[in-house]
Amino acid sequence: MDLSVVIPTLNGRDHLAAGLDVLAAQVSDAEVVVVNGPSTDGTTGMLRERDDVDVLVEVSTRTENVSRNAGLEVATGDVVAFLRYDLVVEPSWLAGLTDGLTDASVVTGPTHRTLGGGMTTEQSEHRTIGSREVTYFNGGNVAFRRAVLDELDGFDEYLETGGDRDAAHRLAALDYEVAWRPDMGVRQEYSADGGVATGDRGEEFRALAYRLVKNYGVRPAAAASTTRRAGRDALVAGRDVLRGDLAPTEWLAAGRAVLGGVARGAADGFVARVKDRSPARNPHGLSDRSNRAVARYDWR
């Protein structure tokens, strides 16, 4: 197995350096591709001084799927793993990855996070949408056989969030299984408070509607999933209003953002579905363009 590890990063110099140190010690034979940018914290200089990074790709677009595809373009391994810059591989990571690939063409594992009260981790996540069984994977800790990524045409660059979940739907459509290996664990080297950022609600639901309509069409399965998600979030926000933790005007503004995001995402998803009728469903994928990188440093 020839393994390439692609690490997208943005202004994460210190966390990235810690992760690279451990990766070099635990997985010394892997080809390491870092996709940077556009960072302003000295990441480029730090990487150019290291001898354990094989390729550095500088990009100008702050979108994770663009960075993933830019790394995939230059990776040479027959297995390509994607790691988040602020995660560190566990000692058993490579063994878990190797074992998982004996059962499936895609393998993922948990992320261990240090909290104030101890350690938290993840479990494998599955969902049935229509007649399709979807196994989601950890986008910051996943490995693919290269042939699978070629068939998927990489990641969908329309999406600013949820690109890994979109790929999971497309893997299911192509009848690829995703193996879960607890040994393929990664961890954060710093403490987190356990908080969850709310983010842009309109963008979140735009991405949700887009990937569901693109992958399933205008069907009850897609509408039901979006409606359940929106209804659940509205109920939680309504309770916050009743408790006085959220102003009614904020609730209404969030609702408008969600409705606008759903409408735009559904329309764009329908156009994408028409543009690419293949099972890959990826009109904005790896083959769509070749100008992602603004600079490339290759020390192989």
Side-chain angles (χ1 to χ4, degrees):
M1 177 182 71
D2 293 325
L3 174 64
S4 296
V5 180
V6 175
I7 308 174
T9 188
L10 175 64
N11 291 328
R13 181 185 60 185
D14 294 340
H15 296 316
L16 173 63
L20 289 171
D21 289 343
V22 177
L23 189 65
Q26 302 288 351
V27 197
S28 58
D29 292 335
E31 174 188 61
V32 178
V33 177
V34 177
V35 184
N36 175 49
S39 293
T40 58
D41 63 348
T43 294
T44 299
M46 180 272 290
L47 292 171
R48 294 180 67 177
E49 293 176 356
R50 300 184 67 102
D51 58 7
D52 54 357
V53 174
D54 297 287
V55 185
L56 166 62
V57 181
E58 301 277 359
V59 295
S60 60
T61 305
R62 296 190 177 200
T63 303
E64 189 169 32
N65 287 336
V66 172
S67 294
R68 287 167 170 165
N69 284 345
L72 180 57
E73 281 184 305
V74 301
T76 63
D78 58 357
V79 174
V80 181
F82 294 89
L83 286 176
R84 211 173 71 198
Y85 74 91
D86 59 346
L87 298 176
V88 175
V89 298
E90 299 280 12
S92 60
W93 183 83
L94 181 59
L97 182 158
T98 304
D99 180 64
L101 289 175
T102 63
D103 292 336
S105 295
V106 185
V107 57
T108 188
T111 300
H112 308 297
R113 294 182 175 87
T114 302
L115 303 176
M119 180 77 70
T120 184
T121 188
E122 300 163 335
Q123 299 297 322
S124 181
E125 183 183 358
H126 308 266
R127 177 173 295 180
T128 301
I129 300 180
S131 60
R132 191 179 301 178
E133 295 288 335
V134 181
T135 301
Y136 295 111
F137 59 83
N138 181 345
N141 179 31
V142 63
F144 299 79
R145 292 199 182 278
R146 178 63 188 245
V148 177
L149 286 167
D150 290 341
E151 192 169 355
L152 286 173
D153 198 22
F155 294 87
D156 189 331
E157 295 181 11
Y158 169 92
L159 289 163
E160 297 182 12
T161 182
D164 47 356
R165 298 183 82 83
D166 172 69
H169 292 293
R170 296 189 290 119
L171 285 169
L174 292 165
D175 293 324
Y176 284 112
E177 295 185 2
V178 179
W180 171 268
R181 289 296 183 271
D183 287 346
M184 189 180 160
V186 293
R187 69 182 187 277
Q188 288 184 332
E189 286 285 76
Y190 52 94
S191 178
D193 62 8
V196 178
T198 57
D200 185 334
R201 306 298 287 165
E203 173 58 34
E204 180 183 344
F205 277 87
R206 178 170 72 93
L208 174 63
Y210 170 83
R211 61 180 183 258
L212 289 175
V213 171
K214 183 189 72 164
N215 287 296
Y216 300 94
V218 184
R219 297 181 180 180
S225 182
T226 305
T227 301
R228 282 196 302 270
R229 177 74 175 273
R232 186 169 58 246
D233 286 8
L235 181 61
V236 171
R239 290 172 179 167
D240 289 341
V241 171
L242 292 175
R243 288 196 300 264
D245 297 330
L246 182 69
T249 53
E250 292 182 82
W251 184 39
L252 291 173
R256 285 194 296 269
V258 167
L259 291 174
V262 168
R264 180 182 172 191
D268 291 346
F270 180 78
V271 171
R273 185 173 179 84
V274 171
K275 288 178 66 176
D276 186 354
R277 298 177 181 272
S278 73
R281 297 291 182 191
N282 196 8
H284 307 288
L286 182 65
S287 63
D288 185 50
R289 63 191 182 100
S290 58
N291 61 343
R292 297 174 183 86
V294 296
R296 173 178 163 183
Y297 306 93
D298 193 331
W299 298 289
R300 286 177 292 204

